[in-house]
Amino acid sequence: MSLKAGIIGLPNVGKSTLFNAITKQNILAANYPFATIDPNVGTVTVPDERLTFLENMYLPKNTVPTTFEFTDIAGLVKGASHGEGLGNKFLSHIREVDAIVEVVRCFDDANITHVEGKTDPIRDIEIINVELILADLEIIDNRLIKIIKKAQTSKDKESLLEVDVLTKAKTALEQNKPLRLVEFTPDELALIRSFNFITLKPLIYCANISENDLAQSDNNYTKQVKEYAALEHSGVITMCAKIESELSELSDDDKKVFLKDLGINESGLTKLIFATYNLLGLQTFFTSGPDECRAWTFKVGMTAKECAGLIHSDIARGFIKAEVTSFNDLETLGSEAKVKEAGKLRLEGKDYLMQDGDIVYFRFNV
């Protein structure tokens, strides 16, 4: 399952530094706008102690964690929707992702140029929001010009619905309301999804702070971001991208020591990975045995048969039943045999909705 989260923000807010930490890739991080011109795509491993437990139990030949992709997109500037900076190229890259991580500068540093002159996280957020809204409005206006006359002339139901939905979306955007905050019916949502509107994508803010503020829960800037995010029901992860980049170079043991010295229990990067994973509506099921223990990513609401298809199309085509064990039951009882004795091993059909932490063996015949 190929899903991407895009990292966006103004120039010099720490996007590429964060991306380096996420993917452990040495992407250019320079102190000037547009150091990132083409989107860099990297795969991130989702840390999961459940997979480690299964690995220790089965001692498999191979262990495969679940992953998803982050895309580092060039810094946005005021006027991008009208072609400023990298303009439409930047915006087209955002349209290709499934969720957005918006990095917001929440630190002062005279040595790092701020494209707007000084640190002001709410101004920065609103600059980006306005550009994304204007970009979506342009698509709506262009489409309405083409479809309104057809709808009025033919009275075609689909065309009339499209005009109504686009008009509804246009009204919201003109009131500076992102489409993700608008209530659409299932039919309306299905229609507008085809336009790949940027403001319809789920979003989380990443407040990038200085090393000095790391041990604190908040600074004045992050408090502003959290208040703003709460109004639009968005999440906020606070981290120091510079420290995360340094942590990514350490071994697991050294990382624990470093975090302890910093006075924090969990890296901001780990929090961001889980938050983005959830933002994308993703969960994990497992297959396990002496040959391989593997974590598989699936979308919330997928059935057993659909998840079987993630492994191989033949398994979905010849699906018979799914033998399902809850990870919590296996961890509590300690072995497959005890799970069976306790009656906790279940046989589920093709329409069973997979749950996070399910350990599955698919029976199939082709």
PDB file of all heavy atoms in Angstrom, residues 1 285-288 292 294-297 302 304-316 354 360-362 364:
ATOM      1  N   MET A   1       0.850  -1.184   0.000  1.00  0.00           N
ATOM      2  CA  MET A   1       0.000   0.000   0.000  1.00  0.00           C
ATOM      3  C   MET A   1       0.888   1.237   0.000  1.00  0.00           C
ATOM      4  O   MET A   1       1.656   1.465   0.926  1.00  0.00           O
ATOM      5  CB  MET A   1      -0.897   0.001   1.229  1.00  0.00           C
ATOM      6  CG  MET A   1      -1.763   1.233   1.351  1.00  0.00           C
ATOM      7  SD  MET A   1      -2.928   1.097   2.711  1.00  0.00           S
ATOM      8  CE  MET A   1      -3.979  -0.206   2.101  1.00  0.00           C
ATOM      9  N   PHE A 285      -1.493  -5.071  10.654  1.00  0.00           N
ATOM     10  CA  PHE A 285      -1.711  -6.474  11.011  1.00  0.00           C
ATOM     11  C   PHE A 285      -0.404  -7.228  10.772  1.00  0.00           C
ATOM     12  O   PHE A 285       0.516  -6.705  10.120  1.00  0.00           O
ATOM     13  CB  PHE A 285      -2.890  -7.099  10.249  1.00  0.00           C
ATOM     14  CG  PHE A 285      -2.641  -7.423   8.796  1.00  0.00           C
ATOM     15  CD1 PHE A 285      -2.117  -8.660   8.408  1.00  0.00           C
ATOM     16  CD2 PHE A 285      -2.961  -6.510   7.801  1.00  0.00           C
ATOM     17  CE1 PHE A 285      -1.909  -8.960   7.065  1.00  0.00           C
ATOM     18  CE2 PHE A 285      -2.764  -6.809   6.464  1.00  0.00           C
ATOM     19  CZ  PHE A 285      -2.231  -8.033   6.088  1.00  0.00           C
ATOM     20  N   PHE A 286      -0.328  -8.441  11.311  1.00  0.00           N
ATOM     21  CA  PHE A 286       0.929  -9.188  11.261  1.00  0.00           C
ATOM     22  C   PHE A 286       0.730 -10.573  10.682  1.00  0.00           C
ATOM     23  O   PHE A 286      -0.336 -11.189  10.833  1.00  0.00           O
ATOM     24  CB  PHE A 286       1.524  -9.346  12.672  1.00  0.00           C
ATOM     25  CG  PHE A 286       1.772  -8.043  13.378  1.00  0.00           C
ATOM     26  CD1 PHE A 286       0.806  -7.490  14.211  1.00  0.00           C
ATOM     27  CD2 PHE A 286       2.968  -7.360  13.223  1.00  0.00           C
ATOM     28  CE1 PHE A 286       1.016  -6.285  14.861  1.00  0.00           C
ATOM     29  CE2 PHE A 286       3.192  -6.151  13.867  1.00  0.00           C
ATOM     30  CZ  PHE A 286       2.214  -5.625  14.693  1.00  0.00           C
ATOM     31  N   THR A 287       1.768 -11.056  10.004  1.00  0.00           N
ATOM     32  CA  THR A 287       1.888 -12.476   9.677  1.00  0.00           C
ATOM     33  C   THR A 287       3.161 -12.946  10.365  1.00  0.00           C
ATOM     34  O   THR A 287       4.157 -12.207  10.408  1.00  0.00           O
ATOM     35  CB  THR A 287       1.973 -12.711   8.155  1.00  0.00           C
ATOM     36  OG1 THR A 287       3.009 -11.894   7.593  1.00  0.00           O
ATOM     37  CG2 THR A 287       0.646 -12.370   7.487  1.00  0.00           C
ATOM     38  N   SER A 288       3.136 -14.134  10.931  1.00  0.00           N
ATOM     39  CA  SER A 288       4.294 -14.561  11.729  1.00  0.00           C
ATOM     40  C   SER A 288       4.532 -16.051  11.607  1.00  0.00           C
ATOM     41  O   SER A 288       3.612 -16.840  11.369  1.00  0.00           O
ATOM     42  CB  SER A 288       4.088 -14.179  13.200  1.00  0.00           C
ATOM     43  OG  SER A 288       2.908 -14.781  13.713  1.00  0.00           O
ATOM     44  N   GLU A 292       9.225 -15.987   8.492  1.00  0.00           N
ATOM     45  CA  GLU A 292       9.155 -14.529   8.449  1.00  0.00           C
ATOM     46  C   GLU A 292       8.119 -13.988   9.428  1.00  0.00           C
ATOM     47  O   GLU A 292       7.040 -14.550   9.563  1.00  0.00           O
ATOM     48  CB  GLU A 292       8.802 -14.057   7.034  1.00  0.00           C
ATOM     49  CG  GLU A 292       8.735 -12.541   6.879  1.00  0.00           C
ATOM     50  CD  GLU A 292       8.345 -12.107   5.480  1.00  0.00           C
ATOM     51  OE1 GLU A 292       7.130 -12.071   5.168  1.00  0.00           O
ATOM     52  OE2 GLU A 292       9.253 -11.810   4.686  1.00  0.00           O
ATOM     53  N   ARG A 294       6.203 -10.377   9.816  1.00  0.00           N
ATOM     54  CA  ARG A 294       6.062  -9.176   8.998  1.00  0.00           C
ATOM     55  C   ARG A 294       4.869  -8.337   9.438  1.00  0.00           C
ATOM     56  O   ARG A 294       3.817  -8.872   9.781  1.00  0.00           O
ATOM     57  CB  ARG A 294       5.884  -9.567   7.532  1.00  0.00           C
ATOM     58  CG  ARG A 294       5.774  -8.385   6.587  1.00  0.00           C
ATOM     59  CD  ARG A 294       6.007  -8.834   5.161  1.00  0.00           C
ATOM     60  NE  ARG A 294       5.969  -7.717   4.227  1.00  0.00           N
ATOM     61  CZ  ARG A 294       6.491  -7.743   3.010  1.00  0.00           C
ATOM     62  NH1 ARG A 294       7.088  -8.849   2.577  1.00  0.00           N
ATOM     63  NH2 ARG A 294       6.413  -6.702   2.211  1.00  0.00           N
ATOM     64  N   ALA A 295       5.074  -7.021   9.434  1.00  0.00           N
ATOM     65  CA  ALA A 295       3.999  -6.078   9.712  1.00  0.00           C
ATOM     66  C   ALA A 295       3.475  -5.551   8.382  1.00  0.00           C
ATOM     67  O   ALA A 295       4.254  -5.212   7.488  1.00  0.00           O
ATOM     68  CB  ALA A 295       4.518  -4.920  10.571  1.00  0.00           C
ATOM     69  N   TRP A 296       2.147  -5.504   8.266  1.00  0.00           N
ATOM     70  CA  TRP A 296       1.506  -5.047   7.035  1.00  0.00           C
ATOM     71  C   TRP A 296       0.636  -3.832   7.329  1.00  0.00           C
ATOM     72  O   TRP A 296      -0.116  -3.815   8.306  1.00  0.00           O
ATOM     73  CB  TRP A 296       0.616  -6.145   6.440  1.00  0.00           C
ATOM     74  CG  TRP A 296       1.353  -7.398   6.067  1.00  0.00           C
ATOM     75  CD1 TRP A 296       1.655  -8.451   6.891  1.00  0.00           C
ATOM     76  CD2 TRP A 296       1.888  -7.729   4.784  1.00  0.00           C
ATOM     77  NE1 TRP A 296       2.337  -9.420   6.197  1.00  0.00           N
ATOM     78  CE2 TRP A 296       2.498  -9.011   4.902  1.00  0.00           C
ATOM     79  CE3 TRP A 296       1.903  -7.084   3.543  1.00  0.00           C
ATOM     80  CZ2 TRP A 296       3.116  -9.634   3.824  1.00  0.00           C
ATOM     81  CZ3 TRP A 296       2.522  -7.705   2.473  1.00  0.00           C
ATOM     82  CH2 TRP A 296       3.122  -8.970   2.620  1.00  0.00           C
ATOM     83  N   THR A 297       0.729  -2.830   6.476  1.00  0.00           N
ATOM     84  CA  THR A 297      -0.081  -1.627   6.623  1.00  0.00           C
ATOM     85  C   THR A 297      -1.413  -1.797   5.904  1.00  0.00           C
ATOM     86  O   THR A 297      -1.451  -2.230   4.755  1.00  0.00           O
ATOM     87  CB  THR A 297       0.656  -0.409   6.023  1.00  0.00           C
ATOM     88  OG1 THR A 297       1.865  -0.198   6.743  1.00  0.00           O
ATOM     89  CG2 THR A 297      -0.203   0.840   6.103  1.00  0.00           C
ATOM     90  N   MET A 302     -10.727  -1.793   6.071  1.00  0.00           N
ATOM     91  CA  MET A 302     -10.487  -2.832   5.069  1.00  0.00           C
ATOM     92  C   MET A 302     -10.907  -4.196   5.608  1.00  0.00           C
ATOM     93  O   MET A 302     -10.781  -4.483   6.803  1.00  0.00           O
ATOM     94  CB  MET A 302      -9.014  -2.869   4.654  1.00  0.00           C
ATOM     95  CG  MET A 302      -8.603  -1.697   3.788  1.00  0.00           C
ATOM     96  SD  MET A 302      -6.860  -1.759   3.258  1.00  0.00           S
ATOM     97  CE  MET A 302      -6.870  -3.173   2.140  1.00  0.00           C
ATOM     98  N   ALA A 304     -10.938  -8.580   5.600  1.00  0.00           N
ATOM     99  CA  ALA A 304      -9.919  -9.624   5.593  1.00  0.00           C
ATOM    100  C   ALA A 304      -9.492  -9.960   4.160  1.00  0.00           C
ATOM    101  O   ALA A 304      -8.303 -10.135   3.879  1.00  0.00           O
ATOM    102  CB  ALA A 304     -10.452 -10.868   6.295  1.00  0.00           C
ATOM    103  N   LYS A 305     -10.459 -10.048   3.257  1.00  0.00           N
ATOM    104  CA  LYS A 305     -10.130 -10.380   1.867  1.00  0.00           C
ATOM    105  C   LYS A 305      -9.284  -9.274   1.233  1.00  0.00           C
ATOM    106  O   LYS A 305      -8.320  -9.562   0.500  1.00  0.00           O
ATOM    107  CB  LYS A 305     -11.413 -10.602   1.054  1.00  0.00           C
ATOM    108  CG  LYS A 305     -11.149 -11.046  -0.375  1.00  0.00           C
ATOM    109  CD  LYS A 305     -12.443 -11.355  -1.117  1.00  0.00           C
ATOM    110  CE  LYS A 305     -12.134 -11.809  -2.552  1.00  0.00           C
ATOM    111  NZ  LYS A 305     -13.373 -12.145  -3.292  1.00  0.00           N
ATOM    112  N   GLU A 306      -9.626  -8.020   1.496  1.00  0.00           N
ATOM    113  CA  GLU A 306      -8.845  -6.907   0.950  1.00  0.00           C
ATOM    114  C   GLU A 306      -7.422  -6.915   1.506  1.00  0.00           C
ATOM    115  O   GLU A 306      -6.454  -6.664   0.777  1.00  0.00           O
ATOM    116  CB  GLU A 306      -9.527  -5.583   1.272  1.00  0.00           C
ATOM    117  CG  GLU A 306     -10.815  -5.345   0.476  1.00  0.00           C
ATOM    118  CD  GLU A 306     -11.582  -4.134   0.952  1.00  0.00           C
ATOM    119  OE1 GLU A 306     -11.505  -3.811   2.170  1.00  0.00           O
ATOM    120  OE2 GLU A 306     -12.267  -3.506   0.124  1.00  0.00           O
ATOM    121  N   CYS A 307      -7.285  -7.235   2.780  1.00  0.00           N
ATOM    122  CA  CYS A 307      -5.951  -7.293   3.384  1.00  0.00           C
ATOM    123  C   CYS A 307      -5.153  -8.479   2.846  1.00  0.00           C
ATOM    124  O   CYS A 307      -3.929  -8.392   2.697  1.00  0.00           O
ATOM    125  CB  CYS A 307      -6.068  -7.377   4.908  1.00  0.00           C
ATOM    126  SG  CYS A 307      -6.561  -5.805   5.680  1.00  0.00           S
ATOM    127  N   ALA A 308      -5.847  -9.572   2.556  1.00  0.00           N
ATOM    128  CA  ALA A 308      -5.164 -10.713   1.932  1.00  0.00           C
ATOM    129  C   ALA A 308      -4.556 -10.298   0.603  1.00  0.00           C
ATOM    130  O   ALA A 308      -3.459 -10.732   0.236  1.00  0.00           O
ATOM    131  CB  ALA A 308      -6.152 -11.857   1.733  1.00  0.00           C
ATOM    132  N   GLY A 309      -5.264  -9.421  -0.127  1.00  0.00           N
ATOM    133  CA  GLY A 309      -4.766  -8.944  -1.400  1.00  0.00           C
ATOM    134  C   GLY A 309      -3.516  -8.095  -1.280  1.00  0.00           C
ATOM    135  O   GLY A 309      -2.763  -7.949  -2.248  1.00  0.00           O
ATOM    136  N   LEU A 310      -3.273  -7.512  -0.095  1.00  0.00           N
ATOM    137  CA  LEU A 310      -2.053  -6.743   0.115  1.00  0.00           C
ATOM    138  C   LEU A 310      -0.832  -7.654   0.086  1.00  0.00           C
ATOM    139  O   LEU A 310       0.266  -7.226  -0.281  1.00  0.00           O
ATOM    140  CB  LEU A 310      -2.112  -6.004   1.461  1.00  0.00           C
ATOM    141  CG  LEU A 310      -3.209  -4.951   1.618  1.00  0.00           C
ATOM    142  CD1 LEU A 310      -3.180  -4.368   3.024  1.00  0.00           C
ATOM    143  CD2 LEU A 310      -3.048  -3.837   0.575  1.00  0.00           C
ATOM    144  N   ILE A 311      -1.032  -8.905   0.480  1.00  0.00           N
ATOM    145  CA  ILE A 311       0.064  -9.880   0.469  1.00  0.00           C
ATOM    146  C   ILE A 311       0.260 -10.419  -0.941  1.00  0.00           C
ATOM    147  O   ILE A 311       1.370 -10.426  -1.480  1.00  0.00           O
ATOM    148  CB  ILE A 311      -0.218 -11.017   1.463  1.00  0.00           C
ATOM    149  CG1 ILE A 311      -0.357 -10.446   2.890  1.00  0.00           C
ATOM    150  CG2 ILE A 311       0.875 -12.080   1.409  1.00  0.00           C
ATOM    151  CD1 ILE A 311      -0.762 -11.459   3.931  1.00  0.00           C
ATOM    152  N   HIS A 312      -0.846 -10.860  -1.555  1.00  0.00           N
ATOM    153  CA  HIS A 312      -0.786 -11.355  -2.939  1.00  0.00           C
ATOM    154  C   HIS A 312      -2.212 -11.422  -3.490  1.00  0.00           C
ATOM    155  O   HIS A 312      -3.131 -11.850  -2.783  1.00  0.00           O
ATOM    156  CB  HIS A 312      -0.121 -12.737  -3.010  1.00  0.00           C
ATOM    157  CG  HIS A 312       0.376 -13.081  -4.382  1.00  0.00           C
ATOM    158  ND1 HIS A 312      -0.472 -13.428  -5.406  1.00  0.00           N
ATOM    159  CD2 HIS A 312       1.638 -13.125  -4.893  1.00  0.00           C
ATOM    160  CE1 HIS A 312       0.240 -13.676  -6.495  1.00  0.00           C
ATOM    161  NE2 HIS A 312       1.531 -13.496  -6.220  1.00  0.00           N
ATOM    162  N   SER A 313      -2.373 -11.066  -4.732  1.00  0.00           N
ATOM    163  CA  SER A 313      -3.705 -11.083  -5.341  1.00  0.00           C
ATOM    164  C   SER A 313      -4.292 -12.490  -5.375  1.00  0.00           C
ATOM    165  O   SER A 313      -5.515 -12.668  -5.289  1.00  0.00           O
ATOM    166  CB  SER A 313      -3.648 -10.511  -6.761  1.00  0.00           C
ATOM    167  OG  SER A 313      -2.742 -11.244  -7.568  1.00  0.00           O
ATOM    168  N   ASP A 314      -3.447 -13.523  -5.485  1.00  0.00           N
ATOM    169  CA  ASP A 314      -3.935 -14.907  -5.501  1.00  0.00           C
ATOM    170  C   ASP A 314      -4.589 -15.286  -4.174  1.00  0.00           C
ATOM    171  O   ASP A 314      -5.551 -16.059  -4.143  1.00  0.00           O
ATOM    172  CB  ASP A 314      -2.792 -15.881  -5.796  1.00  0.00           C
ATOM    173  CG  ASP A 314      -2.403 -15.886  -7.274  1.00  0.00           C
ATOM    174  OD1 ASP A 314      -3.148 -15.292  -8.074  1.00  0.00           O
ATOM    175  OD2 ASP A 314      -1.358 -16.460  -7.606  1.00  0.00           O
ATOM    176  N   ILE A 315      -4.049 -14.746  -3.071  1.00  0.00           N
ATOM    177  CA  ILE A 315      -4.602 -15.059  -1.748  1.00  0.00           C
ATOM    178  C   ILE A 315      -6.001 -14.466  -1.622  1.00  0.00           C
ATOM    179  O   ILE A 315      -6.911 -15.102  -1.083  1.00  0.00           O
ATOM    180  CB  ILE A 315      -3.679 -14.537  -0.624  1.00  0.00           C
ATOM    181  CG1 ILE A 315      -2.286 -15.166  -0.749  1.00  0.00           C
ATOM    182  CG2 ILE A 315      -4.266 -14.837   0.754  1.00  0.00           C
ATOM    183  CD1 ILE A 315      -1.289 -14.674   0.293  1.00  0.00           C
ATOM    184  N   ALA A 316      -6.181 -13.264  -2.152  1.00  0.00           N
ATOM    185  CA  ALA A 316      -7.511 -12.641  -2.130  1.00  0.00           C
ATOM    186  C   ALA A 316      -8.468 -13.387  -3.061  1.00  0.00           C
ATOM    187  O   ALA A 316      -9.626 -13.632  -2.715  1.00  0.00           O
ATOM    188  CB  ALA A 316      -7.404 -11.180  -2.530  1.00  0.00           C
ATOM    189  N   MET A 354     -10.691  -5.956   9.515  1.00  0.00           N
ATOM    190  CA  MET A 354      -9.410  -6.172  10.200  1.00  0.00           C
ATOM    191  C   MET A 354      -9.193  -5.136  11.298  1.00  0.00           C
ATOM    192  O   MET A 354      -9.599  -3.974  11.171  1.00  0.00           O
ATOM    193  CB  MET A 354      -8.275  -6.102   9.193  1.00  0.00           C
ATOM    194  CG  MET A 354      -8.280  -7.248   8.178  1.00  0.00           C
ATOM    195  SD  MET A 354      -7.754  -8.833   8.872  1.00  0.00           S
ATOM    196  CE  MET A 354      -5.987  -8.574   8.945  1.00  0.00           C
ATOM    197  N   VAL A 360      -2.521 -12.842  11.556  1.00  0.00           N
ATOM    198  CA  VAL A 360      -3.409 -13.546  10.636  1.00  0.00           C
ATOM    199  C   VAL A 360      -2.670 -14.615   9.831  1.00  0.00           C
ATOM    200  O   VAL A 360      -1.527 -14.428   9.397  1.00  0.00           O
ATOM    201  CB  VAL A 360      -4.063 -12.553   9.641  1.00  0.00           C
ATOM    202  CG1 VAL A 360      -5.143 -13.247   8.826  1.00  0.00           C
ATOM    203  CG2 VAL A 360      -4.641 -11.355  10.368  1.00  0.00           C
ATOM    204  N   TYR A 361      -3.365 -15.752   9.652  1.00  0.00           N
ATOM    205  CA  TYR A 361      -2.956 -16.755   8.680  1.00  0.00           C
ATOM    206  C   TYR A 361      -4.128 -16.916   7.710  1.00  0.00           C
ATOM    207  O   TYR A 361      -5.245 -17.225   8.118  1.00  0.00           O
ATOM    208  CB  TYR A 361      -2.621 -18.096   9.348  1.00  0.00           C
ATOM    209  CG  TYR A 361      -2.362 -19.195   8.346  1.00  0.00           C
ATOM    210  CD1 TYR A 361      -1.152 -19.267   7.670  1.00  0.00           C
ATOM    211  CD2 TYR A 361      -3.344 -20.156   8.065  1.00  0.00           C
ATOM    212  CE1 TYR A 361      -0.906 -20.267   6.731  1.00  0.00           C
ATOM    213  CE2 TYR A 361      -3.106 -21.161   7.130  1.00  0.00           C
ATOM    214  CZ  TYR A 361      -1.885 -21.201   6.474  1.00  0.00           C
ATOM    215  OH  TYR A 361      -1.648 -22.181   5.541  1.00  0.00           O
ATOM    216  N   PHE A 362      -3.885 -16.636   6.436  1.00  0.00           N
ATOM    217  CA  PHE A 362      -4.944 -16.691   5.445  1.00  0.00           C
ATOM    218  C   PHE A 362      -5.013 -18.083   4.794  1.00  0.00           C
ATOM    219  O   PHE A 362      -4.016 -18.572   4.275  1.00  0.00           O
ATOM    220  CB  PHE A 362      -4.728 -15.643   4.353  1.00  0.00           C
ATOM    221  CG  PHE A 362      -4.894 -14.220   4.826  1.00  0.00           C
ATOM    222  CD1 PHE A 362      -3.791 -13.412   5.024  1.00  0.00           C
ATOM    223  CD2 PHE A 362      -6.155 -13.700   5.069  1.00  0.00           C
ATOM    224  CE1 PHE A 362      -3.930 -12.094   5.456  1.00  0.00           C
ATOM    225  CE2 PHE A 362      -6.312 -12.390   5.513  1.00  0.00           C
ATOM    226  CZ  PHE A 362      -5.197 -11.592   5.703  1.00  0.00           C
ATOM    227  N   PHE A 364      -6.374 -20.159   1.715  1.00  0.00           N
ATOM    228  CA  PHE A 364      -6.853 -19.854   0.354  1.00  0.00           C
ATOM    229  C   PHE A 364      -6.588 -21.039  -0.567  1.00  0.00           C
ATOM    230  O   PHE A 364      -5.819 -21.942  -0.248  1.00  0.00           O
ATOM    231  CB  PHE A 364      -6.152 -18.594  -0.186  1.00  0.00           C
ATOM    232  CG  PHE A 364      -4.677 -18.771  -0.474  1.00  0.00           C
ATOM    233  CD1 PHE A 364      -4.230 -18.942  -1.779  1.00  0.00           C
ATOM    234  CD2 PHE A 364      -3.739 -18.784   0.552  1.00  0.00           C
ATOM    235  CE1 PHE A 364      -2.873 -19.095  -2.062  1.00  0.00           C
ATOM    236  CE2 PHE A 364      -2.382 -18.933   0.296  1.00  0.00           C
ATOM    237  CZ  PHE A 364      -1.961 -19.097  -1.024  1.00  0.00           C
TER     238      PHE A 364
END
